Amino acid sequence: MNKLGTLKEITTKPEFARLLGVKPSTLTYSLYIVKPATQYHQFEIPKRNGSNRVINAPADKLKNLQSKLSVLLQDCIDEINAAKYPKSEINLPKALNSKVLKVKISNSAIKQQPSLSHGFVRHRSIITNAMMHLNQKNVLNIDLKDFFDSFNFGRVRGFFIKNKHFELDPNIATVIAQIACYENKLPQGSPCSPVITNLITHSLDIRLASLAKKHSCTYSRYADDITFSSRKSIFPTQIMRQEESGEYIAGKKLRGDITRAGFSINDKKTRIQYKNSRQDVTGLIVNKKPNVKKEYWRTARSQCHSLFRTGSFTKKIADGDIEGNINELEGQLNFIDQVDRYNRMRQKPSLNPIYALKRDHQQFLKQTKYLLHGREKTFSRFLYYRLFYGNDKPTFLCEGKTDNIYLKSAISILAANYPALVSPKSLTKDYELLVRFVEYSKRTRFLLELYGGVDYLKGFIGSFETLSNFYKAPKPKHPVIVILDNDDGLRKGFQNYVCSISSVRLFPTNLDKKNDFNKASFIHVIHNLYIVLTPLNSTGGDTDIEYLFDDTTRLKQYNGKCFNTVAERDKEGDLSKNSFANHIIKAQKNSINFDGLKPLLDRVVAAITHYDQLKKNKGVDKSKPPSLS
């Protein structure tokens, strides 16, 4: 049975808890023992108009419960839409791997798809919301006043009881409202508030979309921001008209529908934007293509320029300049890049931003930096600075995502042994990593030419000096450590390539570059760049990181398969590395023996200690290599 069908049939709290994927005792504890009213932290964030928005952030356990409720309700929405629009693009198998999801509603009734609400909806975003209103002569923006405050406990509970798609048992509807509401309303800051507002507001969306269609307009909503757009020279006065005084007067039908839905229009934020002016929809410019405002990009670019030169930047506020926050800057650049990536995918002929265009020679196939335009180059340099030059903690690069899982799991369990890598358990956190792992993605592949594997890491090491020399900010405070398997892959060109770099030094220092490379405890390449290899086995043979686990761990089973012993390992028939990492090491880490990884972690700590000594000696290596006990 589907999620919605199951939800409609259940009548008890234990059944609902199990549908959410939590223990009944967890639900009872969160709702009736500690109670939601005691589990919120309130703070304010500034709005663009200078006022503050009050955020009520739930505590971790309640937030987890609300997140699970959000996922459940989104699954229900998907099932409702799949039944209503069986041939829409969203429900076609190709949509799972679609680069660009179509957002315009098809003229064909059987292919229509829900594109009315774009806020906190799967496959939707502020970009798809903006796409609805490209190349229009007039764009009307309306803001709903006190949006979240309009949804009280009774309204939430009543919706799930009365709505024809849900019609839930009153007890279950009450529990949903208890999880979702705080101080008799849906709080801003809760993961489930947006999806519930979308469900309740859908009937308004239908009525306003019908009004828009009647007057040849396009309609969309993103949370409390409503947009109508038209290709007509004069915006339909039946929806909104502007008086000579500049005041906007909403049409009787528009105002009536909004009022009956329990909302009111914020007249101060109502505006019609014309073709010859800058048209803004939820923060994006829509005159020709979705784009960020020029001043938004210029500010981010200027801050990056200052960061690269001095290691800091300032931010302008009403009272003057304050020190900038690098996390905030990264968020702005990510937003800009999200828009750029979307436009790249829409261009014709399309350019796949994952791979470089093929050149004549095989060695160029992994190169993508020559494809970057100006904004992407700036973002690439920012990411490089954040991860490798201005990194606020040691940065680890492994060969793949499974290595990250192994090391994170080992460090968390061995926390007491490695204070340089992880902070001890506190009242609020089980542990906190004091190192940063680079998580590879399609975007790191395009922007940084980093995707794991020895070939990519070889290119990273080869370009490290040139890329680092671009920055004039104070020298790096923390090392960058490349962690590699000590096996055949290391010898296929990689070892000779690294040894050809004149600055490379092996530790212990009595080792010979060419003959003892794989015996080194760690290798200092240049500046703050290090290489750490998995230790050779007792007979001096090759190892990979999986080799460091004992047979008891390797023989643990998942779905009838194990990773197997070193001697009996069959890559085709045994458990894959990904399954071993996720379902054995990560899922069962509290019962795993990680002692075999201690020599590798000791080497990592030794590299960190060595760089700390280099900094004290102002870059001159006068110290002896740290002891590896």
Side-chain angles (χ1 to χ4, degrees):
M1 184 180 290
N2 58 26
K3 294 282 185 70
L4 181 59
T6 303
L7 180 60
K8 293 174 73 170
E9 287 194 358
I10 62 176
T11 59
T12 67
K13 296 181 184 68
E15 289 176 315
F16 183 62
R18 285 189 283 272
L19 183 59
L20 286 178
V22 300
K23 296 179 180 178
S25 58
T26 300
L27 181 63
T28 300
Y29 179 82
S30 297
L31 294 186
Y32 307 111
I33 298 178
V34 294
K35 298 182 179 180
T38 65
Q39 299 182 65
Y40 284 89
H41 167 64
Q42 190 174 95
F43 60 94
E44 296 181 345
I45 58 174
K47 295 183 182 179
R48 285 181 293 179
N49 62 8
S51 62
N52 290 325
R53 187 187 306 276
V54 177
I55 301 296
N56 290 293
D60 288 345
K61 287 186 177 179
L62 179 59
K63 184 178 181 180
N64 179 58
L65 196 60
Q66 291 173 340
S67 295
K68 289 181 180 295
L69 175 59
S70 175
V71 171
L72 172 62
L73 294 178
Q74 289 182 72
D75 289 342
C76 292
I77 291 172
D78 286 348
E79 291 171 6
I80 293 168
N81 288 334
K84 190 173 183 180
Y85 307 102
K87 296 187 178 181
S88 71
E89 183 186 5
I90 289 177
N91 292 308
L92 295 178
K94 67 178 183 180
L96 297 174
N97 299 308
S98 176
K99 299 185 182 72
V100 182
L101 189 66
K102 185 170 61 180
V103 296
K104 292 286 186 180
I105 297 177
S106 170
N107 291 327
S108 172
I110 63 171
K111 290 187 177 180
Q112 286 185 349
Q113 60 189 38
S115 292
L116 304 181
S117 176
H118 293 255
F120 313 100
V121 177
R122 288 172 179 167
H123 304 294
R124 302 298 183 208
S125 66
I126 65 169
I127 300 177
T128 61
N129 188 51
M131 283 290 297
M132 296 289 290
H133 306 284
L134 291 184
N135 299 308
Q136 301 288 308
K137 290 187 177 179
N138 296 286
V139 175
L140 167 66
N141 288 327
I142 298 172
D143 181 80
L144 298 179
K145 187 184 296 184
D146 300 325
F147 182 67
F148 283 92
D149 291 353
S150 301
F151 302 90
N152 59 30
F153 184 96
R155 189 177 185 184
V156 172
R157 179 179 181 274
F159 169 83
F160 287 105
I161 294 173
K162 298 176 182 178
N163 181 266
K164 66 178 182 179
H165 294 299
F166 286 90
E167 296 178 331
L168 304 186
D169 181 275
N171 291 325
I172 301 303
T174 300
V175 173
I176 290 175
Q178 288 173 329
I179 294 173
C181 293
Y182 171 61
E183 294 183 343
N184 195 35
K185 61 187 178 185
L186 290 177
Q188 292 192 62
S190 163
C192 62
S193 290
V195 66
I196 293 175
T197 63
N198 282 336
L199 281 167
I200 298 175
T201 313
H202 184 64
S203 58
L204 173 64
D205 290 333
I206 296 295
R207 290 194 293 272
L208 295 187
S210 177
L211 175 64
K213 184 178 181 181
K214 181 178 179 181
H215 298 287
S216 302
C217 291
T218 300
Y219 166 85
S220 73
R221 180 180 60 82
Y222 190 97
D224 56 352
D225 289 321
I226 288 175
T227 304
F228 290 85
S229 61
S230 171
R231 294 188 184 275
K232 293 183 176 181
S233 299
I234 299 176
F235 192 83
T237 56
Q238 297 91 336
I239 297 177
M240 185 72 67
R241 74 177 190 273
Q242 186 176 16
E243 302 284 86
E244 291 184 4
S245 63
E247 181 184 3
Y248 289 100
I249 306 297
K252 182 178 179 180
K253 181 76 167 69
L254 173 64
R255 190 172 291 275
D257 284 343
I258 290 175
T259 302
R260 281 192 295 275
F263 305 105
S264 60
I265 297 174
N266 186 348
D267 294 324
K268 293 180 180 179
K269 293 188 176 181
T270 300
R271 66 192 188 280
I272 296 177
Q273 303 166 104
Y274 305 103
K275 185 70 175 178
N276 58 358
S277 65
R278 190 168 71 174
Q279 295 173 326
D280 175 356
V281 175
T282 48
L284 292 177
I285 308 306
V286 295
N287 293 71
K288 294 183 179 179
K289 65 178 181 179
N291 207 350
V292 297
K293 296 176 182 177
K294 289 182 179 179
E295 58 268 28
Y296 187 87
W297 159 241
R298 287 170 182 163
T299 299
R301 181 182 60 188
S302 174
Q303 290 174 343
C304 285
H305 182 65
S306 177
L307 180 68
F308 300 159
R309 286 189 301 108
T310 67
S312 64
F313 61 94
T314 59
K315 175 185 176 181
K316 291 186 181 297
I317 59 173
D319 298 332
D321 292 348
I322 60 172
E323 184 176 353
N325 184 308
I326 195 169
N327 295 323
E328 190 175 297
L329 177 58
E330 183 171 8
Q332 293 168 352
L333 292 169
N334 265 313
F335 171 62
I336 294 168
D337 183 63
Q338 183 183 5
V339 177
D340 288 342
R341 178 172 42 183
Y342 192 89
N343 284 323
R344 265 197 182 278
M345 292 176 179
R346 292 177 61 243
Q347 71 185 44
K348 295 181 180 180
S350 61
L351 170 66
N352 187 334
I354 302 171
Y355 306 100
L357 296 175
K358 290 186 178 181
R359 290 184 172 184
D360 294 335
H361 302 289
Q362 187 71 21
Q363 65 264 32
F364 291 115
L365 293 183
K366 290 185 174 67
Q367 292 186 7
T368 55
K369 288 181 181 176
Y370 73 93
L371 296 171
L372 305 184
H373 57 58
R375 296 206 305 213
E376 289 169 336
K377 285 180 181 177
T378 297
F379 189 38
S380 173
R381 286 168 174 164
F382 173 85
L383 292 176
Y384 197 93
Y385 177 91
R386 186 81 201 268
L387 291 171
F388 311 123
Y389 191 92
N391 44 327
D392 57 1
K393 56 180 69 171
T395 299
F396 290 179
L397 292 98
C398 300
E399 290 190 57
K401 59 184 179 180
T402 55
D403 294 0
N404 286 3
I405 294 172
Y406 300 143
L407 291 173
K408 285 181 182 179
S409 300
I411 292 171
S412 70
I413 297 300
L414 302 173
N417 302 86
Y418 296 98
L421 305 180
V422 60
S423 67
K425 184 175 182 179
S426 66
L427 294 175
T428 57
K429 296 181 180 179
D430 289 338
Y431 64 92
E432 181 180 358
L433 286 175
L434 301 179
V435 297
R436 181 170 187 169
F437 287 82
V438 175
E439 303 291 345
Y440 301 119
S441 67
K442 294 174 182 177
R443 212 55 187 155
T444 63
R445 189 177 193 170
F446 183 58
L447 293 170
L448 296 173
E449 294 178 1
L450 268 177
Y451 204 57
V454 173
D455 285 346
Y456 279 102
L457 293 172
K458 176 182 173 182
F460 171 78
I461 291 168
S463 62
F464 191 84
E465 181 177 18
T466 300
L467 294 177
S468 295
N469 287 343
F470 169 80
Y471 306 99
K472 305 305 177 186
K475 299 299 180 184
K477 296 180 180 179
H478 301 282
V480 175
I481 301 175
V482 179
I483 301 173
L484 299 172
D485 292 337
N486 205 341
D487 58 12
D488 282 342
L490 190 73
R491 287 184 284 277
K492 292 178 180 177
F494 180 87
Q495 178 176 332
N496 290 337
Y497 178 76
V498 172
C499 289
S500 69
I501 301 173
S502 60
S503 58
V504 165
R505 296 191 64 192
L506 273 55
F507 288 85
T509 54
N510 60 347
L511 297 177
D512 179 71
K513 271 189 189 181
K514 294 184 178 180
N515 299 317
D516 300 321
F517 187 85
N518 63 346
K519 299 176 184 177
S521 297
F522 63 88
I523 299 121
H524 182 207
V525 182
I526 193 169
H527 301 321
N528 62 328
L529 179 61
Y530 290 78
I531 296 173
V532 169
L533 309 176
T534 56
L536 297 173
N537 64 26
S538 58
T539 61
D542 292 353
T543 60
D544 55 23
I545 196 166
E546 287 84 9
Y547 178 91
L548 305 179
F549 292 102
D550 61 18
D551 283 347
T552 301
T553 301
R554 298 170 69 94
L555 291 172
K556 285 180 177 287
Q557 291 201 352
Y558 174 75
N559 283 347
K561 293 183 178 181
C562 67
F563 196 69
N564 221 329
T565 63
V566 175
E568 300 295 326
R569 172 82 176 138
D570 175 14
K571 292 182 180 180
E572 299 299 323
D574 291 335
L575 204 60
S576 68
K577 285 187 177 183
N578 187 61
S579 293
F580 179 63
N582 283 288
H583 300 295
I584 303 297
I585 303 303
K586 183 179 180 180
Q588 304 177 43
K589 67 179 182 180
N590 290 321
S591 63
I592 299 294
N593 180 2
F594 288 103
D595 287 349
L597 274 75
K598 285 182 177 180
L600 177 61
L601 296 179
D602 289 340
R603 292 181 169 199
V604 168
V605 172
I608 294 172
T609 304
H610 179 264
Y611 188 68
D612 288 340
Q613 293 173 342
L614 275 187
K615 288 189 299 180
K616 290 179 182 179
N617 294 327
K618 296 182 179 180
V620 180
D621 188 5
K622 298 177 181 178
S623 63
K624 294 181 180 179
S627 173
L628 292 174
S629 56

